[in-house]
Amino acid sequence: MESKRGDEVRLFIDRDEVGELWRFAESVKIVSPDNRQPLIEHFRLLQRLSVKAGDETCHLSLRPLAVGTNDFVVETLSDAADVQEAMKRIARAYNLVHGGHYNRVESRKGRLAYVIDDRDFPYAFPTDSVAAYATLEGVLIFLHAMVSLAAGRDLTPMLRTVRTRRPRRRAPDGLLAFWTTTVRTGSDAYALEYDLETGQVPVSLTQRSGRAVDVYAAVEAMIRAREQAGNPTDFLQRVSDAIASGVDDQAEAARRLGVSVATLRRRLADSGTRFRDLRARGLNERAKQMLNRHRHPQDVAETLGFSDSRSFSRAFKAWNGVTPSNWVPSVSENVLSD
């Protein structure tokens, strides 16, 4: 769930979405009195509950994991050569501690995928339940943060698709709202699908930064970044900055911002604009800056990628009411140019 107050944007999770976890939190007196909880606080709660219960599954599995299990998994990544090897080590480690082949890493259709098939997992509740969906959707966030920690950078820009077995995307949903890329519901398994070249990213994890607490810190950093990016004014500025740097392709702009093209379009539409409008505005500003420096209109047209000077002239007149040859910079524009 996304909540807005002025320029503040925060991600929340509903109590009903993680009902089993909330009931356990209430039983040990570690719980917020509100029906909604900030997503950051949700992951902090998981940390506290795992210690309180002595079980890193927080009693969500019939097969408990001793405290320190996640530390052990992260520690195995420090000498992995690259992200693909790190992902395979994560899958193998969790399969061992959970006693089943639930995790696997595979390459498919030009993607590197971390897959979790939980249909036979020993949940403390039905496999096809809201609690199960929310649990594994939270695990996907944790795994993405762990792989990013191993890589030494946020891999969100290289993430292409997130898959969940949830039959349909129920809104609001704070866990799914975390993702800025495409989310596919109704899948056969849970998965994180990255660009294939992600697997070749070298691991830069050190033993000093290789514990579960560092993964939770990475999750918090990602949530804060998404909340900050949720500011409509900030997002528009980031898109405009990308265009000003020379990005004129919508897909490339989305990649630069770490969101999907669909998310980029939706966020811009929510702000009452379109990518083509921002692109035109950016081209116009660059055109005026070059004309202010006495660049020839034909040279400007070629630099900005117009097919010919006539098409540039038509566009410039539509933007400013005059042709490039008749453009007279204002005093303020001359100052900015200087």
Side-chain angles (χ1 to χ4, degrees), residues 22 35 39 43 70 81 84 93 102 105 108 111 141 148 171 214 226 233 242 250 309 330:
W22 272 91
N35 193 50
L39 200 54
F43 283 96
N70 286 322
Q84 183 167 356
Y102 308 111
V105 177
R108 58 189 188 189
R111 303 283 178 84
I141 294 174
S148 293
D214 301 303
R226 282 149 177 72
T233 303
Q250 191 169 215
S309 58
S330 67

Side-chain angles (χ1 to χ4, degrees), residues 37-58:
Q37 185 179 46
L39 200 54
I40 281 181
E41 293 300 329
H42 169 72
F43 283 96
R44 289 174 179 170
L45 178 66
L46 285 175
Q47 283 184 278
R48 296 173 64 196
L49 285 177
S50 65
V51 174
K52 188 79 172 180
D55 173 13
E56 294 205 341
T57 76
C58 299

Side-chain angles (χ1 to χ4, degrees), residues 59-107:
H59 293 338
L60 300 179
S61 167
L62 296 176
R63 186 184 179 93
L65 296 183
V67 173
T69 298
N70 286 322
D71 284 340
F72 160 73
V73 174
V74 180
E75 287 168 4
T76 66
L77 309 181
S78 60
D79 60 344
D82 51 35
V83 165
Q84 183 167 356
E85 182 182 346
M87 291 171 67
K88 289 181 177 180
R89 291 190 181 194
I90 293 170
R92 184 164 58 250
Y94 280 123
N95 284 340
L96 286 172
V97 297
H98 282 298
H101 297 285
Y102 308 111
N103 302 260
R104 66 180 186 272
V105 177
E106 61 185 36
S107 299

Side-chain angles (χ1 to χ4, degrees), residues 213-225:
V213 65
D214 301 303
V215 181
Y216 280 110
V219 171
E220 289 197 20
M222 289 178 177
I223 293 173
R224 292 191 187 281

Side-chain angles (χ1 to χ4, degrees), residues 78-204:
S78 60
D79 60 344
D82 51 35
V83 165
Q84 183 167 356
E85 182 182 346
M87 291 171 67
K88 289 181 177 180
R89 291 190 181 194
I90 293 170
R92 184 164 58 250
Y94 280 123
N95 284 340
L96 286 172
V97 297
H98 282 298
H101 297 285
Y102 308 111
N103 302 260
R104 66 180 186 272
V105 177
E106 61 185 36
S107 299
R108 58 189 188 189
K109 298 180 180 179
R111 303 283 178 84
L112 177 65
Y114 189 105
V115 183
I116 306 176
D117 188 343
D118 70 330
R119 285 174 291 187
D120 296 322
F121 188 80
Y123 287 113
F125 35 77
T127 302
D128 293 315
S129 64
V130 171
Y133 303 143
T135 297
L136 262 293
E137 287 161 2
V139 168
L140 289 180
I141 294 174
F142 187 82
L143 287 173
H144 176 63
M146 185 184 294
V147 176
S148 293
L149 180 70
R153 59 189 173 99
D154 188 351
L155 294 177
T156 297
M158 306 182 80
L159 182 65
R160 289 291 158 259
T161 307
V162 175
R163 296 187 181 275
T164 173
R165 287 208 309 109
R166 183 184 296 271
R168 60 187 179 87
R169 182 166 180 171
R170 303 190 325 156
D173 186 346
L175 288 164
L176 293 185
F178 169 86
W179 302 107
T180 56
T181 190
T182 302
V183 175
R184 303 291 186 192
T185 55
S187 299
D188 293 334
Y190 298 85
L192 297 171
E193 296 181 350
Y194 298 87
D195 286 335
L196 193 58
E197 58 266 27
T198 308
Q200 301 172 7
V201 174
V203 166
S204 60

